[in-house]
Amino acid sequence: MKKLFLILAAGILTLSASAQGNSGNKGKSKNSPSTSNSDAPGNKADKDKTDKSKVKEKEKADKAKNDDHDRKVWDGVEGGSDCGKTSKNQPAKVRSSFQRDYPNAINVRWTKCRGDWTARFGNGIFLSTAVYHANGDRRDTRTPVTRDNIPRRILDEILKKRPGTQLEDAIKIQVPNAVKDIFRIKDILEGKVTYQYLDSDGNTVSYNY
């Protein structure tokens, strides 16, 4: 009888301990901090890979945009194929003049063209290229523009003289102290490429650069 009593008591104690253990585990599972899926090693690696991919895509897009800008600016210029190469050690007068002219310029990249120093830079929503002589005098600033930014008089003049002309690239050239801007228009008629220089009134002008 005593032996049976001891067996029953041991069984009750075992059941009680088991119930307490399960209760503790339940509380622990509810209250213990869980590991976020985003913090898991695999997910972090995937996120890093995605971020790097986005950076590479942006760099590729920026390069394509910059290359297209250089092509438009120097297209048709004698020796222009060498004008997009990065240059170093710009004269102090050139740098000083550029900082004075464009204090808010961003992403500046210096090149050299036909003996002049050129700076490609962000200028508001546009990319522009400023051309400087070694003495710091600015020759001009060139900005590729869309057809919507070409003065109507220029379009009328071109299409009146040469109906059927296909307009390609347009570069607005701002010359210091000049009253009117100059527009260099690249057009195609019957397969022939022509570069025309006109002022904002549609008058043909001579510009040798």
Side-chain angles (χ1 to χ4, degrees):
M1 186 71 178
K2 185 176 181 181
K3 187 175 182 180
L4 178 61
F5 177 77
L6 290 173
I7 292 172
L8 288 174
I12 292 172
L13 288 173
T14 301
L15 290 174
S16 177
S18 176
Q20 288 180 358
N22 290 336
S23 176
N25 289 337
K26 287 181 182 178
K28 187 174 182 180
S29 64
K30 286 183 180 180
N31 299 325
S32 60
S34 60
T35 302
S36 171
N37 288 335
S38 61
D39 293 334
N43 289 336
K44 188 175 186 304
D46 290 341
K47 184 176 182 301
D48 290 343
K49 187 176 181 181
T50 300
D51 290 343
K52 289 180 180 179
S53 178
K54 288 181 179 179
V55 169
K56 287 184 178 180
E57 287 179 4
K58 185 179 184 306
E59 289 175 347
K60 186 176 180 180
D62 288 344
K63 184 180 185 305
K65 181 180 179 181
N66 292 334
D67 289 347
D68 185 58
H69 169 85
D70 291 342
R71 178 191 63 78
K72 290 178 179 178
V73 166
W74 304 120
D75 195 15
V77 174
E78 185 178 352
S81 59
D82 294 326
C83 292
K85 296 179 180 178
T86 302
S87 66
K88 298 180 180 179
N89 303 320
Q90 300 79 30
K93 289 182 179 180
V94 171
R95 281 190 170 275
S96 177
S97 294
F98 176 73
Q99 290 172 2
R100 178 199 64 214
D101 295 339
Y102 300 100
N104 298 318
I106 60 173
N107 299 326
V108 181
R109 176 177 178 267
W110 285 97
T111 60
K112 201 170 184 180
C113 182
R114 297 173 57 173
D116 290 327
W117 300 90
T118 67
R120 184 186 70 207
F121 62 100
N123 184 22
I125 61 174
F126 296 102
L127 278 178
S128 297
T129 292
V131 182
Y132 289 86
H133 297 311
N135 63 1
D137 290 342
R138 180 164 62 93
R139 178 187 177 93
D140 61 41
T141 299
R142 302 163 179 232
T143 305
V145 295
T146 64
R147 180 169 178 154
D148 292 339
N149 298 114
I150 303 173
R152 187 69 211 178
R153 291 183 180 182
I154 291 179
L155 297 176
D156 290 343
E157 185 66 19
I158 292 174
L159 298 176
K160 180 179 70 175
K161 289 182 177 179
R162 306 168 69 208
T165 296
Q166 177 185 347
L167 299 177
E168 290 287 301
D169 301 326
I171 307 295
K172 182 172 74 171
I173 303 173
Q174 296 170 295
V175 181
N177 303 319
V179 177
K180 300 173 184 176
D181 293 332
I182 297 173
F183 288 80
R184 191 189 76 200
I185 309 295
K186 176 184 178 182
D187 59 47
I188 302 175
L189 180 62
E190 298 178 352
K192 183 180 179 181
V193 176
T194 302
Y195 297 89
Q196 301 186 59
Y197 292 85
L198 304 96
D199 65 20
S200 54
D201 289 332
N203 301 312
T204 299
V205 298
S206 177
Y207 202 73
N208 62 358
Y209 197 164

